[in-house]
Amino acid sequence: MPEKELTTPKPKADPSAEPLLKVEGLVKHFPITKGLLRRQVGAVQAVDGLTFDVLPGETLGVVGESGCGKSTMGRLITRLLEPTGGKIEFEGKDITHLGVGAMRPMRRDVQMIFQDPYSSLNPRHTVGTIVSAPYKLQGITPEGGVKQAVQATLERVGLNPEHYNRYPHEFSGGQRQRIGIARALALSPKLVVADEPVSALDVSIQAQVVNLLDDLQQELGLTYVIIAHDLSVIRHVSDRIAVMYLGKIVELTDRKSLYESPMHPYTTALLSAVPVPDPRRKSAKSGRILLKGDVPSPINPPSGCRFRTRCWKATDICASEEPPLLALKTGHRVACHHPENAPDQAPGSTGKLASASDAVSSTTSKGSAASKGAATSKGSAASKGSSTQKGSASPKGSSTPKEGESE
């Protein structure tokens, strides 16, 4: 989705304010059991040591490949999942291991918008029943009655109040997502976690929903944690952005710094895959980086830096020591021994790992007019058959991206 300027300047969060949400060392491991006695033989390390905070009125965007733990993180901070370790504080109160009864009052202030607008709504319930459920569960009777409050909420998210008695199957995907947003906003929460709220929608509908979230934030003073794949959407809505890889945050900074001067090699690869709507750059993919291979298994992640198996800068220290998430610039934290656009954190480690030479399958230097596959791994000048005749097979190692390699 192309970036769109907001008509009203987005209010900035006060950096001196106390964090609304504070997460320290958050861990979630899903046990793997085997045999009749269901003995644990391993664990899926979905989230492994996340530390961040969210200020009141701020939007934190979270990006990363599928399976990196983004959705699990969202369910942990809303306490839909029980953490294995770490600490979650909301408004200074530790909610890490609160029971169902103790969490009930907190549900008014922490809500979630789910990814799939089709499966997240009960097909047997009317819109009025769905959006009024939070009032009934919390035992709240709003002024003017529940029906009037629900109809006002529907109107606020761009739906007709007359839709109160309709069922979910009578709405389009974008309208269903608006119903999910209305349900989340019914009790005027302080924090909303949106798990890929536009990924299942058409591009034109995506723009409507994203602009709706912006408008609601300005109107109600909401704080968002938005999880998404689309870097253009994240750039449009976020104040700060966290990049996740295999259960860990590898970079955390403000929007401008991330897009103009990324430090982690993984972030650089992600940003290079963002399409640029410029016909003049159609034939030259400037700076495109295609990562080779898949994300390692979270059951048995690599030692040291988890990105080292796909990183072209990996050295010996990357395999032996896990890089901490350090602030290399003001407000710019990165977990890398050899960051981009910053001083090397391990200048003494010069021995390249064997996987580093094969980490990137194809790149094209900025401004070059090389054809696809002109730059291949292990320093070859051109892939064999890069200038093939019409109708011949594509050369091995060409720069045609494979789904999931860099997004």
Side-chain angles (χ1 to χ4, degrees):
M1 187 196 74
E3 185 175 4
K4 174 182 174 292
E5 293 295 331
L6 298 176
T7 55
T8 305
K10 190 175 181 179
K12 292 186 177 296
D14 183 4
S16 62
E18 287 294 320
L20 180 68
L21 175 71
K22 189 174 182 180
V23 176
E24 295 181 358
L26 186 61
V27 176
K28 180 59 179 178
H29 293 175
F30 294 97
I32 300 173
T33 58
K34 187 177 181 181
L36 293 175
L37 299 179
R38 312 303 295 172
R39 293 178 179 175
Q40 183 173 342
V41 295
V44 178
Q45 302 176 30
V47 170
D48 201 12
L50 301 187
T51 299
F52 63 92
D53 52 35
V54 185
L55 301 176
E58 180 184 37
T59 298
L60 176 68
V62 183
V63 297
E65 291 177 270
S66 296
C68 71
K70 305 185 301 297
S71 296
T72 301
M73 179 211 68
R75 292 173 179 269
L76 287 170
I77 61 180
T78 54
R79 284 303 320 281
L80 296 179
L81 289 176
E82 181 73 15
T84 304
K87 187 178 182 181
I88 305 170
E89 290 185 3
F90 182 76
E91 292 188 316
K93 181 179 179 180
D94 188 352
I95 65 170
T96 312
H97 298 292
L98 288 183
V100 176
M103 272 300 299
R104 188 175 293 276
M106 303 293 297
R107 297 294 181 196
R108 297 185 58 177
D109 296 326
V110 182
Q111 288 291 321
M112 189 165 185
I113 301 171
F114 295 95
Q115 176 178 357
D116 188 355
Y118 297 90
S119 63
S120 60
L121 303 178
N122 191 327
R124 298 186 179 185
H125 289 175
T126 63
V127 171
T129 303
I130 292 171
V131 180
S132 64
Y135 294 109
K136 296 178 181 178
L137 292 173
Q138 293 289 337
I140 297 173
T141 302
E143 185 178 353
V146 173
K147 182 175 181 179
Q148 183 177 335
V150 169
Q151 289 179 326
T153 304
L154 292 176
E155 191 171 10
R156 176 177 285 164
V157 299
L159 294 174
N160 194 320
E162 296 178 358
H163 293 160
Y164 183 89
N165 290 318
R166 292 189 182 181
Y167 288 87
H169 73 269
E170 300 179 68
F171 296 91
S172 66
Q175 289 175 318
R176 295 188 194 197
Q177 193 61 284
R178 288 171 186 264
I179 296 170
I181 294 173
R183 177 176 57 185
L185 298 180
L187 298 177
S188 301
K190 297 176 181 177
L191 174 67
V192 176
V193 178
D195 184 9
E196 303 199 33
V198 296
S199 64
L201 307 177
D202 294 335
V203 175
S204 59
I205 306 301
Q206 285 183 11
Q208 294 176 16
V209 173
V210 167
N211 290 330
L212 172 64
L213 293 175
D214 276 331
D215 294 340
L216 291 172
Q217 184 176 42
Q218 294 178 33
E219 179 184 348
L220 305 175
L222 299 173
T223 302
Y224 287 137
V225 175
I226 297 184
I227 300 165
H229 280 107
D230 193 329
L231 291 169
S232 298
V233 170
I234 287 294
R235 184 174 188 173
H236 178 75
V237 301
S238 302
D239 297 308
R240 290 189 301 146
I241 301 172
V243 181
M244 286 188 65
Y245 184 83
L246 208 59
K248 291 185 174 291
I249 292 177
V250 296
E251 189 162 2
L252 175 61
T253 185
D254 62 90
R255 171 178 56 184
K256 183 177 180 182
S257 297
L258 187 87
Y259 281 85
E260 293 184 358
S261 183
M263 290 188 181
H264 199 281
Y266 177 61
T267 308
T268 304
L270 284 180
L271 294 177
S272 74
V274 176
V276 179
D278 187 351
R280 293 170 296 182
R281 298 179 58 183
K282 183 177 180 181
S283 60
K285 299 180 180 294
S286 354
R288 180 66 185 267
I289 301 173
L290 300 179
L291 299 179
K292 194 174 181 180
D294 297 323
V295 180
S297 171
I299 299 175
N300 185 26
S303 61
C305 176
R306 298 192 174 188
F307 184 61
R308 66 175 176 83
T309 58
R310 304 172 75 194
C311 181
W312 60 95
K313 303 183 73 174
T315 61
D316 297 336
I317 194 173
C318 300
S320 58
E321 295 183 18
E322 181 179 339
L325 189 65
L326 300 176
L328 300 188
K329 290 182 181 178
T330 304
H332 198 149
R333 300 163 63 192
V334 63
C336 184
H337 293 301
H338 309 292
E340 306 271 347
N341 304 309
D344 199 319
Q345 300 302 297
S349 179
T350 57
K352 285 276 188 180
L353 294 180
S355 60
S357 59
D358 295 329
V360 178
S361 62
S362 181
T363 61
T364 307
S365 60
K366 187 175 182 180
S368 69
S371 60
K372 292 182 179 181
T376 55
S377 60
K378 295 189 178 181
S380 62
S383 58
K384 186 176 180 181
S386 60
S387 299
T388 54
Q389 296 179 352
K390 184 177 179 181
S392 62
S394 300
K396 187 176 181 181
S398 67
S399 62
T400 305
K402 295 181 179 179
E403 183 178 358
E405 283 190 341
S406 58
E407 296 185 284

